[in-house]
Amino acid sequence: MIWILWHRRMGDLNQMQDLVQSLGGPFVVKKLQFRKPHYAPLARLADGSDQLTEPWPDMILCAEALTSVIARRLKKLSGGKIKIISLARPSGDARNFDLVLTTAQYRLPKLPNVVELLLPLTKQVTSKISQSKSIVVLVGASSPPEVLDVAAAKDMVEALKTKAEQSSARLKIVTSPRTSREVARVFLDSLHAPHHVFAWSSDRENPYLQIVSEAHEVVVTSDSVSMLADGLVAGKTVSVCRLPRKFSPVQKLVEWFFLRWPQNYIFQSGLIEPATDRWLLIEKLIKAGHVRWFGDADIQHIPFDPQHDLDLAVAAIKRLNSPR
């Protein structure tokens, strides 16, 4: 039996369900609620969480810092019998987990139990090409250190207009639930027919996946690895719009400390987490020929195969469970 410990992010749940379905066998999703403040080393379950009692599972999957702390507590209660598979970056030292399936932006150390994938596990999206040539632009939001404010949005609009004119293409801008109203307004006010802006709204159906599947080309903002993955698994030519970066004094200090002493106690204990560096992942994808920075010269595009990462993950788990 496998337990999936899930807090709130649907992307995490989708990844973990895809993984366990590839493994086969029964699984149960355990929905967890946490008391505030949400600080991983002191994670405490709140009322409304699913029961976590015996009989214990053989394996636990978790995909964020808070749930990884609970997974470690359950392993201790089981007498060490439970195996923990963590996706992304768990809280604290990766050596506290049986297997960590991560990606480059989390900057985990190279360890025998750490498997670095090219992208988060993502299902293949059915790809269709619309009759009219379109550049689909997936717009995220500020996500430190990346900044997507009004000034950055205006610069982005001008560059996109130039690109559309040179390519004789129309732009389809798709904002996300995280996109601020001010940034969405820049696109709505600056782009008119034949271009179109699909501003996200909770009051209507989201055409996101359909628009991506019909695109000739996809541009994503550098704050979102998930949108980047959606474009790639749909088989599209993808370029990444490099957002400006701003670091606070505290972020600069943490980064300076991490680059010099990454194995320091404050990081291994989970007291402080280093910032995610999405540009590392993007550069790795560029090196593999899967994407390019928006505005750079065209590259020989090499299609991304999401099955490759899934196969790597499944093989790593099977090795973990095989007798030694």
Side-chain angles (χ1 to χ4, degrees):
M1 171 63 72
I2 299 174
W3 284 3
I4 290 176
L5 301 188
W6 175 55
H7 180 205
R8 58 187 173 184
R9 298 194 293 237
M10 284 304 301
D12 290 343
L13 180 59
N14 292 337
Q15 283 192 71
M16 291 186 286
Q17 287 182 322
D18 290 346
L19 184 53
V20 294
Q21 286 166 1
S22 297
L23 290 167
F27 70 93
V28 175
V29 176
K30 297 286 187 176
K31 181 75 166 68
L32 306 184
Q33 304 288 347
F34 291 90
R35 297 181 189 178
K36 294 182 179 179
H38 291 161
Y39 181 50
L42 302 178
R44 296 179 298 163
L45 292 176
D47 293 341
S49 294
D50 289 343
Q51 287 275 345
L52 302 175
T53 56
E54 297 185 77
W56 303 118
D58 304 300
M59 184 185 299
I60 285 176
L61 264 66
C62 54
E64 61 175 294
L66 286 168
T67 56
S68 74
V69 171
I70 303 303
R72 287 180 58 195
R73 291 176 190 168
L74 293 176
K75 179 165 186 168
K76 186 175 181 180
L77 287 173
S78 75
K81 294 178 182 178
I82 298 173
K83 287 184 168 63
I84 307 175
I85 316 299
S86 174
L87 278 64
R89 179 170 62 198
S91 176
D93 194 337
R95 287 171 291 195
N96 292 325
F97 301 84
D98 296 280
L99 179 65
V100 180
L101 301 169
T102 190
T103 45
Q105 78 266 31
Y106 295 113
R107 300 189 284 179
L108 294 187
K110 296 187 184 302
L111 296 168
N113 66 317
V114 174
V115 175
E116 188 173 287
L117 309 174
L118 268 178
L119 281 173
L121 300 174
T122 310
K123 275 187 175 178
Q124 186 82 44
V125 176
T126 302
S127 181
K128 313 174 214 176
I129 300 295
S130 63
Q131 294 300 315
S132 57
K133 189 174 182 181
S134 61
I135 300 172
V136 169
V137 184
L138 307 179
V139 180
S142 292
S143 182
E146 271 79 31
V147 176
L148 180 51
D149 55 13
V150 168
K154 288 181 177 178
D155 289 343
M156 193 173 164
V157 165
E158 293 308 310
L160 288 168
K161 282 181 177 178
T162 300
K163 169 70 174 176
E165 185 176 345
Q166 292 172 345
S167 306
S168 300
R170 63 173 179 154
L171 299 169
K172 289 185 179 181
I173 312 294
V174 186
T175 68
S176 76
R178 298 184 301 115
T179 309
S180 71
R181 290 183 180 180
E182 294 78 11
V183 167
R185 178 50 57 189
V186 170
F187 289 99
L188 287 165
D189 290 346
S190 305
L191 294 169
H192 308 286
H195 310 306
H196 193 86
V197 179
F198 296 85
W200 184 88
S201 171
S202 59
D203 298 329
R204 62 172 181 266
E205 186 177 352
N206 186 359
Y208 173 84
L209 287 178
Q210 179 183 345
I211 293 173
V212 171
S213 72
E214 294 177 350
H216 279 76
E217 180 181 344
V218 172
V219 178
V220 302
T221 50
S222 61
D223 62 286
S224 175
V225 172
S226 62
M227 294 193 307
L228 172 59
D230 288 337
L232 285 174
V233 299
K236 306 302 178 180
T237 299
V238 177
S239 56
V240 183
C241 181
R242 194 187 329 231
L243 296 176
R245 281 179 154 186
K246 292 181 182 178
F247 294 86
S248 70
V250 171
Q251 288 170 333
K252 288 180 181 178
L253 178 61
V254 170
E255 183 70 7
W256 179 87
F257 202 84
F258 176 73
L259 290 176
R260 284 156 182 78
W261 297 286
Q263 302 304 312
N264 189 277
Y265 171 78
I266 63 169
F267 299 116
Q268 291 188 327
S269 64
L271 292 173
I272 296 177
E273 285 189 353
T276 298
D277 191 344
R278 287 170 284 269
W279 287 13
L280 281 179
L281 179 143
I282 294 166
E283 290 290 352
K284 190 173 180 180
L285 290 168
I286 290 171
K287 188 174 180 180
H290 297 309
V291 304
R292 64 182 175 92
W293 288 114
F294 180 70
D296 284 359
D298 289 341
I299 60 171
Q300 183 177 359
H301 176 244
I302 298 174
F304 175 77
D305 179 12
Q307 189 63 40
H308 179 263
D309 273 354
L310 183 58
D311 289 345
L312 274 180
V314 169
I317 294 173
K318 287 182 176 178
R319 284 196 302 272
L320 185 67
N321 289 324
S322 62
R324 304 196 176 189

